[in-house]
Amino acid sequence: MKIDKCLDTLIVGAGFAGMYILHKQMSEGFKVEIFEQADDVGGTWYWNKYPGARCDIESMDYSYSFSEDLQQEWNWKEKYGTQPELLEYAKFVCKKFGLRKNINFNTKIIKSKFSKEKQKWIVTTDKQKVIECEHLILATGNLSTPNTPKIPGLNNYKGNIYHTGAWPGKMPDFNGRKVGIIGTGSSAVQSIPIISNTAEKLIVFQRTPNFSLPARHRDLPKDKREEYKKNYKKYRQLAKNSSFGIAKYQPPTQSTFEVSDEERNVIYEKAWQEGGQAMLFAFTDLLIDEKANETAAEFVRNKIRKIVNDKETAEKLCPKNHPIGTKRLCLDSNYFETYNKKNVSLIDISNEPIEKITEKGLFTNNIEYSFDDLVFATGFDAMTGAVNAIEILNDEDVSLKSKWSDGPKTYLGMMVSNFPNLFMITGPQSPGVKSQMILSIEQHVDFIHNLIIHKKDNKYRKVNANSVNQDKWVNHNNEVANATLYPLAHSWYNGDNIVGKSKGFMPYVGGVANYKKICDEKVSNNYEGFEFS
Ligand code: FAD
Ligand code: N01
């Protein structure tokens, strides 16, 4: 086989994870390159250009911390970074650290096989180029494989079709048009209010109502930004010590029923007015005790009932089939208020799934709805989709996908047993998606980079995750998750959103501080669970 290029490290993906590990490996003198299917950096913030897309963790938190220079140089304009601002930030980082020359754009990795004789990965691109590398790092993203449900008749539709997770670069003009949108997750909650401002009519097809709290979005005042910058060290440390990697959300100290109903209401009301996810951090037991959780859930339902004028619509929007916070909580700007607009209607499809898509719209419960444009806000084949899309074979020709057919198994969310020198950043069973993700990305990258250096310094050619340690880690993850309410929801956290996908709770919910402590202990114990040869 003709080898077109030899690298020490090949990275797949140029989002925040890929860019940071590229920077680390370049700084250490490794021969390293990224392969990225898009034509620019940014990952999530390159693909999700839908109206209203922005992060819902405040930008002063949702940003890299590895470079003090970068922290001081970049000025976030708004409380929650918008998609264009986040994409600019990614490009700025790419330029500042001279990364672009080591990135191959418009190139998809389709296959990778660990060669027994070379003891290296042989990686194939969609352009049929073959690259040999010692280390293969998957920075392919957890929410990077858009899910378009296979609804009969989809090909017959004559209007425009959009997916929030693969939005075109040029913003479509919905002015004066009838728009249908399927889905009411975070992407829909952000885009519905904006689309409703210009569309002549917006029809929302809702299968499951979602809990959403007000974001209370605003410009970021200069004095607040400067104060944060001055004290960045303190804030970043607070984030690292927290459960979910957000400085201001420190572990609560009192439980739900320690306070009277009146006191609890005052606490919830304060959190509601403050905006963001504060409410979920009000009490210690909200995510472990159903009765406690119900007090917060009902508080939010009552807010929805107050905001939405039409009683029937309000009730349809009230989530009742899962505890609050067990599906990814949404933050919104006037989402529920949007249903008071004359041009917006809500169709509950919980009991009547969409039967088919037609030339002009879709059929549900024998009623045809027509529109000019159809938006899929139907989420992603999360956490395993992008990894499984690459054919990854170990030296015994066993595919990673087949290994994961009953659900993913990893060691610390970073390696898979019997797939040596293959690393993933924020993989399944890591706290990645249950945290401020850039914080988790930085912690994983530092760990993997140091592991590679340790391997190199000790002249090892291979590092592999021990299968017993991997099983223990997976069991520990399950135990931690099963002690919470998370498994009670049907969500992308447990593969429920994809027909035919194996079911099981995938993220580590023991918190970022605990997770880092565990990782650090493994290192102190001479890289416990990692086999070098
Ligand atoms: P990504 O940004 O997904 O990048 C992965 C890259 O890999 C992509 O560019 C993709 O094209 C590329 N790729 C994948 N497979 C291949 C292949 N086979 N060949 C070549 N290239 C490939 N997290 C938060 O913490 N806070 C937030 O507020 C927040 N908001 C979000 C909003 C939206 C709309 C979405 C979708 C996600 C949000 N997230 C948020 C999660 C977000 O995905 C992460 O914060 C972060 O951006 C992930 O970075 P990443 O580099 O790991 O992956
Ligand atoms: O996707 P989702 P998303 N017929 O999976 C519905 C991050 N993010 O893109 O709940 C009808 O949450 C589905 O219904 P149901 C964040 O981590 C963050 O919105 O499965 N409906 C659901 O309503 C988030 O969690 C931000 O019953 C169908 C919706 O489509 C993650 O990305 C913004 C259907 C999908 O919701 C994914 O969010 C955006 C079908 N066949 C994204 N299939 C921030 O604000 C699916 N649905 C930071």
Side-chain angles (χ1 to χ4, degrees), residues 45 50 54-57 143 147 149 151 164 182-188 190 205 207-208 210 327-328 331 349 354 377-380 490 492 497:
W45 306 105
Y50 61 83
R54 64 171 79 241
C55 59
D56 67 359
I57 290 179
L143 298 160
N147 164 45
I151 304 172
T164 49
I182 303 176
T184 48
S186 301
S187 304
Q190 286 187 329
F205 297 93
R207 188 165 68 180
T208 312
N210 249 317
K327 280 174 101 121
R328 173 65 151 73
L331 295 192
I349 54 166
I354 298 164
T378 43
F380 302 89
H490 297 291
W492 58 259
N497 65 327

Side-chain angles (χ1 to χ4, degrees), residues 382-517:
M383 304 197 71
T384 55
V387 174
N388 281 339
I390 306 172
E391 188 186 10
I392 301 174
L393 303 171
N394 70 9
D395 58 357
E396 304 289 337
D397 265 341
V398 177
S399 76
L400 182 62
K401 193 174 175 184
S402 70
K403 275 266 185 192
W404 281 6
S405 57
D406 293 332
K409 288 195 176 82
T410 70
Y411 185 46
L412 299 172
M414 291 194 261
M415 287 199 83
V416 180
S417 180
N418 291 324
F419 288 79
N421 296 0
L422 173 75
F423 306 94
M424 39 194 80
I425 302 172
T426 66
Q429 284 120 22
S430 96
V433 297
K434 284 304 302 164
S435 70
Q436 189 280 83
M437 284 208 75
I438 302 181
L439 180 145
S440 283
I441 284 170
E442 290 188 329
Q443 187 270 341
H444 284 52
V445 167
D446 291 346
F447 187 96
I448 292 167
H449 177 70
N450 290 339
L451 178 63
I452 290 175
I453 290 185
H454 175 81
K455 171 182 159 288
K456 185 179 155 219
D457 287 350
N458 290 283
K459 302 202 167 31
Y460 293 121
R461 295 199 59 192
K462 270 199 319 194
V463 55
N464 180 40
N466 177 286
S467 62
V468 175
N469 291 69
Q470 175 170 291
D471 285 347
K472 275 193 200 156
W473 179 247
V474 174
N475 290 342
H476 171 63
N477 267 260
N478 293 338
E479 274 166 24
V480 173
N482 289 336
T484 70
L485 303 178
Y486 285 108
L488 297 183
H490 297 291
S491 72
W492 58 259
Y493 291 144
N494 54 23
D496 269 334
N497 65 327
I498 302 289
V499 177
K501 189 164 170 168
S502 61
K503 309 294 174 237
F505 194 78
M506 292 183 275
Y508 177 63
V509 285
V512 293
N514 284 339
Y515 174 80
K516 180 166 187 311
K517 194 164 158 261

Side-chain angles (χ1 to χ4, degrees), residues 359-372:
E359 277 188 21
K360 291 190 205 145
L362 60 79
F363 257 105
T364 178
N365 198 21
N366 279 329
I367 301 169
E368 183 168 18
Y369 298 90
S370 311
F371 31 78
D372 307 313

Side-chain angles (χ1 to χ4, degrees), residues 10 73 86 100 127 134 139 162 175 215 382 393 448 451 495 527:
L10 187 154
E73 216 175 321
L86 282 152
R100 199 168 282 275
K127 297 187 170 124
E134 184 148 334
Y162 304 99
N175 200 1
L393 303 171
I448 292 167
L451 178 63
Y527 280 105

